Amino acid sequence: MQNSKHPSITLVGAGPGDAELITIKGMKALQTADVVLYDALVSEELLDLVPAHAVKVYVGKRSGDHSASQQAINQLMVDYALNYGHVVRLKGGDPFVFGRGYEELEHAASYNIPAQVIPGISSSISVPGLQQIPVTHRGMSESFWVVTGTTADGRISDDLREATHSNATVVVLMGLHKIKEITELFKAAGKHRLPAAVIQSGSTQNEKVVVGVVDTLPELVKQHEVKAPALMIFGQVVSLHPQFQSVNEVYDSIS
């Protein structure tokens, strides 16, 4: 088709899952979109904000189910911008927190297409926060790590190994399938009793939360049938969760 509009691209962070947690600026971008390329973890409620004429394209990627490769998404984004005008690339969480957003910016720049970024609320901070788990807390945690569970080649990140020796809060994204290996790393660092939690589909109707300690976490995940997408939180701050006292008493009684 002949495009009378100037091509442009906006990377928009959709937040952790609840449609109401997108920013006002992100909403405004959706309302001016000619095309929306959206991910698997994006609430479909947000698509109701898109103009009736706009093209909506699902490009979700989940473990074992990649609807489109990153290279294909990059090219789709550019092709739609050149042919339709304003493309909104709608990504779960924040585009620059394990979202590969900068790769998409670079691809747009290689075609001289103007692009901007509208940050989103990262699940790494917001999902624990919604459960009353602060990632930092005076006298308990002075900093926090946000680490991917596995690297591009399927290994556990070396940064995660380093993080297990820290006193900081450690938030692990995309690592549920390696929970046994990850908890073994904490055990090797002498942290069997470190408070820990797993949150599935945080901020959505499918949310599940399990709270325990490093020793009990894999069994709790199995018992409660927690599935991906989920994040893990390791650190003393998890002891602030309302459920922690009762689960810790149970652990003490059987250990």
Side-chain angles (χ1 to χ4, degrees):
M1 65 175 287
Q2 186 65 36
N3 176 25
S4 59
K5 299 182 179 181
H6 294 295
S8 64
I9 292 169
T10 307
L11 304 188
V12 176
D18 181 344
E20 294 184 356
L21 291 176
I22 194 172
T23 64
I24 293 172
K25 192 165 188 176
M27 288 176 58
K28 288 180 176 178
L30 285 171
Q31 290 167 346
T32 63
D34 296 303
V35 179
V36 178
L37 304 181
Y38 65 101
D39 281 349
L41 301 182
V42 166
S43 170
E44 295 210 5
E45 287 180 54
L46 292 175
L47 300 180
D48 293 339
L49 300 171
V50 177
H53 74 270
V55 179
K56 304 168 189 175
V57 184
Y58 174 75
V59 290
K61 291 187 293 180
R62 283 188 175 178
S63 179
D65 177 22
H66 287 208
S67 292
S69 69
Q70 186 62 48
Q71 185 176 2
I73 292 170
N74 291 349
Q75 197 56 47
L76 275 175
M77 186 180 66
V78 163
D79 290 345
Y80 275 116
L82 293 173
N83 287 288
Y84 287 78
H86 181 209
V87 172
V88 170
R89 176 71 176 97
L90 189 61
K91 304 169 76 70
D94 180 89
F96 284 0
V97 181
F98 301 116
R100 303 185 72 171
Y102 195 77
E103 295 175 40
E104 295 174 354
L105 274 191
E106 285 187 308
H107 198 72
S110 72
Y111 284 81
N112 295 314
I113 297 174
Q116 65 168 325
V117 179
I118 299 177
I121 300 173
S122 173
S123 63
S124 60
I125 300 170
S126 59
V127 167
L130 288 166
Q131 286 296 320
Q132 301 180 36
I133 301 173
V135 291
T136 62
H137 184 63
R138 187 183 295 269
M140 190 173 281
S141 175
E142 298 175 355
S143 59
F144 61 96
W145 294 61
V146 180
V147 190
T148 181
T150 52
T151 59
D153 58 4
R155 295 182 301 105
I156 287 182
S157 167
D158 289 337
D159 285 347
L160 182 52
R161 298 177 194 277
E162 292 287 333
T164 62
H165 297 283
S166 168
N167 291 323
T169 304
V170 180
V171 180
V172 183
L173 305 181
M174 302 173 291
L176 187 65
H177 62 297
K178 287 189 177 287
I179 188 169
K180 289 185 178 179
E181 293 174 60
I182 290 168
T183 51
E184 286 300 323
L185 290 178
F186 280 94
K187 290 179 187 180
K191 297 183 176 180
H192 297 254
R193 297 181 61 123
L194 183 70
V198 177
I199 305 173
Q200 167 193 307
S201 300
S203 83
T204 74
Q205 291 183 341
N206 297 322
E207 184 174 78
K208 281 187 183 180
V209 183
V210 295
V211 179
V213 295
V214 165
D215 267 348
T216 63
L217 204 61
E219 185 56 36
L220 285 169
V221 164
K222 183 178 179 182
Q223 178 185 336
H224 292 276
E225 299 182 335
V226 177
K227 308 293 183 187
L231 58 74
M232 293 175 269
I233 312 153
F234 297 90
Q236 292 299 330
V237 291
V238 177
S239 69
L240 301 173
H241 189 277
Q243 293 178 16
F244 182 76
Q245 193 60 43
S246 60
V247 298
N248 201 38
E249 287 169 1
V250 172
Y251 176 75
D252 286 343
S253 70
I254 61 176
S255 60

